[in-house]
Amino acid sequence: MDTNDANVHETIDHLFRQRAGQMVSLLSRTFGIDKLELIEDAVQEAMIAAMRKWPFGIPENPSAWLIQTARNKVIDDLRRNNKSVGLDAEDGFDLPAIEDRNAFADLADDELRMIFACCSPAIAADSRVALTLKIVGGFSVQEIARAFLSNDEAVAKMLTRAKKRLREDASFPELPSPRELPGRLDAVLRVLYLMFNEGFGATSGDDLFRSDMCFEAIRLAEMLLRSPETSTPKVHALAALFYLQAARLPARTNDAGDLVLLEDQDRSRWNMHLAEHGVKHLHRSASGDERTEYHLESEIAGIYTLAPSFAETDWPRILACYDELQRRRYSDVVELNRLIVLAKIEGAERALGELDTRFADGRLERFYLYQTTRGHFLAASGRSADAEAAFTKALALTDNTVIRRFLIERIARLSDRRDKPQGS
């Protein structure tokens, strides 16, 4: 592949990520949601056609070219199957002028309706993230399976069930009514939250994080904020959380791809442009009197990201936010994060005592983050052998290559310390 081909493929890949959801949404409104899978195939084939043809010249309006090509493919397939195309005047099908602001707003509206459809209460909760990634985000089955520590077959079956439920309406989805919107918006925000979290801490694979998934969640949050119906302080709070967390992504690994703990990160590598966006949304989230879990989490992310140094982090303020989070909706994962902050303030032994008391029932024994957290507390308390055992348990519970390397390094370091004669 020469440089030109590489640039073309990069352009197509970027456009596909940006436009796949809009293309599927637009064509679903045109041909009907019951033809969803046919439309998805056509969008994929439009991208393949672009890879073949664009090295000889990129069209003047690449997005419109992709949409037109996909649209023609749908019509060809329908005719081949002797089905009605369903358009009153095929020749009158106007290409949306993507660069035109009003036309872009129309495409965004279609995509907004589609994401609400993917996050419908009628679809199983554990399928909503996968369906949103597939239809709106343009992710492949393989990418979704890798992200969720599953196999292609299981994800494909889950998507088939979810799409069947989506198609049962047979009409292009509308935005929920004003009465239904707040509840439905909560479901959408939850999906985006889970999507970002999976990107920020990949559960499997060779990467510590998946920035494409993080930035897809950011793109969808920004889409919600462009619509008057869904631009609310809560959505601004979620966007603030995403931007402030994403700002630290570049420093979470070193040049060798190894995990770098927050206290050791080179802060000059943090993306402060993203942090500024986060602060802007944080300020906008403060309008009104609603203070949601997203407000609290974005405040925590802001304290971490805007602290002058690790030593100058306002730990008591972060702990107060975690305490409030736990009072509102208890979560074991949030509790682990809270205890890590408690260790900074009152010491590892105090945090270890709370950890062992809180999880004495053993419900987190097979959760690698619990074993890793416990290992850190034990090591900081001088219990090297117990810490080594906890890290070894954690090692057996994660499939993420970067985290495994980190744990192996910690185990080796503790083993060396234990074997080294005292005073040497």
Side-chain angles (χ1 to χ4, degrees):
M1 181 184 298
D2 61 25
T3 305
N4 182 55
D5 284 349
N7 290 338
V8 167
H9 283 199
E10 187 177 340
T11 300
I12 295 169
D13 188 57
H14 174 74
L15 262 178
F16 188 72
R17 282 281 191 236
Q18 291 290 314
R19 301 296 186 207
Q22 291 175 352
M23 292 166 68
V24 171
S25 302
L26 169 70
L27 295 173
S28 295
R29 178 165 57 81
T30 303
F31 293 101
I33 194 78
D34 59 319
K35 301 178 181 64
L36 179 61
E37 290 183 332
L38 184 67
I39 290 166
E40 283 189 290
D41 290 343
V43 169
Q44 288 278 358
E45 290 189 32
M47 185 183 71
I48 294 170
M51 287 182 174
R52 284 200 303 265
K53 295 187 176 183
W54 288 12
F56 303 101
I58 296 178
E60 184 177 345
N61 188 335
S63 297
W65 188 97
L66 286 171
I67 292 174
Q68 181 71 70
T69 302
R71 175 257 189 192
N72 290 342
K73 176 64 181 168
V74 173
I75 291 175
D76 289 346
D77 287 346
L78 289 173
R79 283 174 173 159
R80 190 176 303 116
N81 293 311
N82 297 318
K83 292 183 179 178
S84 168
V85 172
L87 296 175
D88 293 333
E90 293 177 29
D91 294 338
F93 183 91
D94 293 327
L95 281 177
I98 304 298
E99 285 71 19
D100 178 80
R101 182 175 295 276
N102 291 329
F104 182 82
D106 289 343
L107 286 172
D109 283 350
D110 284 343
E111 195 177 18
L112 188 62
R113 293 186 185 97
M114 186 61 87
I115 190 173
F116 269 94
C118 293
C119 301
S120 164
I123 295 172
D126 59 355
S127 299
R128 292 175 198 160
V129 175
L131 191 63
T132 303
L133 286 173
K134 181 73 174 69
I135 293 182
V136 185
F139 283 67
S140 69
V141 169
Q142 292 81 5
E143 287 176 311
I144 297 169
R146 186 165 74 87
F148 291 100
L149 194 55
S150 186
N151 58 60
D152 295 358
E153 185 181 2
V155 169
K157 286 181 179 176
M158 179 171 65
L159 287 170
T160 297
R161 289 193 296 272
K163 286 179 186 177
K164 179 176 182 296
R165 183 63 192 87
L166 192 61
R167 287 196 305 270
E168 284 174 354
D169 282 339
S171 59
F172 190 72
E174 295 295 331
L175 278 181
S177 67
R179 184 175 59 83
E180 295 175 317
L181 189 61
R184 294 288 298 279
L185 182 59
D186 283 346
V188 171
L189 298 186
R190 186 65 184 163
V191 164
L192 299 193
Y193 178 84
L194 294 173
M195 184 186 298
F196 185 91
N197 277 356
E198 178 55 36
F200 193 77
T203 51
S204 64
D206 297 329
D207 302 315
L208 182 65
F209 53 84
R210 292 199 53 184
S211 57
D212 57 345
M213 200 171 287
C214 290
F215 285 103
E216 177 63 10
I218 288 175
R219 185 184 75 82
L220 295 176
E222 288 285 6
M223 182 182 69
L224 293 173
L225 289 169
R226 283 197 294 270
S227 172
E229 291 90 350
T230 53
S231 178
T232 68
K234 186 189 301 184
V235 183
H236 277 292
L238 187 65
L241 172 62
F242 290 169
Y243 277 112
L244 289 163
Q245 293 280 72
R248 301 200 308 271
L249 286 176
R252 293 190 66 215
T253 53
N254 59 22
D255 291 341
D258 293 328
L259 184 153
V260 181
L261 295 177
L262 179 63
E263 60 201 82
D264 301 320
Q265 288 178 10
D266 176 0
R267 294 180 175 228
S268 69
R269 296 181 64 197
W270 289 3
N271 187 329
M272 297 315 292
H273 179 66
L274 291 178
E276 288 171 8
H277 276 287
V279 171
K280 178 189 71 177
H281 285 296
L282 198 56
H283 288 158
R284 290 180 180 174
S285 75
S287 61
D289 54 5
E290 187 181 31
R291 184 170 163 82
T292 67
E293 287 89 345
Y294 300 132
H295 285 83
L296 290 165
E297 290 205 44
S298 61
E299 183 176 347
I300 292 170
I303 297 169
Y304 277 126
T305 307
L306 302 178
S309 67
F310 183 78
E312 295 172 273
T313 304
D314 189 346
W315 300 112
R317 190 172 159 202
I318 294 176
L319 185 63
C321 289
Y322 275 128
D323 286 340
E324 187 174 346
L325 269 174
Q326 292 297 65
R327 283 195 297 272
R328 286 164 174 253
R329 186 178 60 190
Y330 180 82
S331 156
D332 287 339
V333 173
V334 171
E335 183 62 15
L336 290 177
N337 290 327
R338 189 189 78 83
L339 291 174
I340 290 170
V341 175
L342 181 69
K344 301 295 181 191
I345 300 171
E346 299 192 23
E349 288 194 35
R350 166 68 194 282
L352 178 63
E354 277 207 30
L355 182 83
D356 285 347
T357 301
R358 177 78 69 178
F359 301 111
D361 60 4
R363 65 183 182 274
L364 293 189
E365 276 293 314
R366 296 196 57 75
F367 183 36
Y368 93 90
L369 195 55
Y370 163 76
Q371 296 292 355
T372 303
T373 304
R374 191 164 189 273
H376 282 299
F377 291 166
L378 288 164
S381 302
R383 295 168 56 182
S384 298
D386 293 335
E388 189 179 334
F391 285 138
T392 301
K393 286 182 182 176
L395 182 63
L397 297 172
T398 179
D399 285 328
N400 185 283
T401 305
V402 179
I403 293 172
R404 287 181 63 82
R405 283 204 305 270
F406 170 80
L407 290 167
I408 289 169
E409 187 274 333
R410 283 291 185 274
I411 293 167
R413 188 188 300 180
L414 288 165
S415 179
D416 287 346
R417 187 186 303 171
R418 183 160 46 81
D419 293 341
K420 191 175 292 184
Q422 289 188 350
S424 62

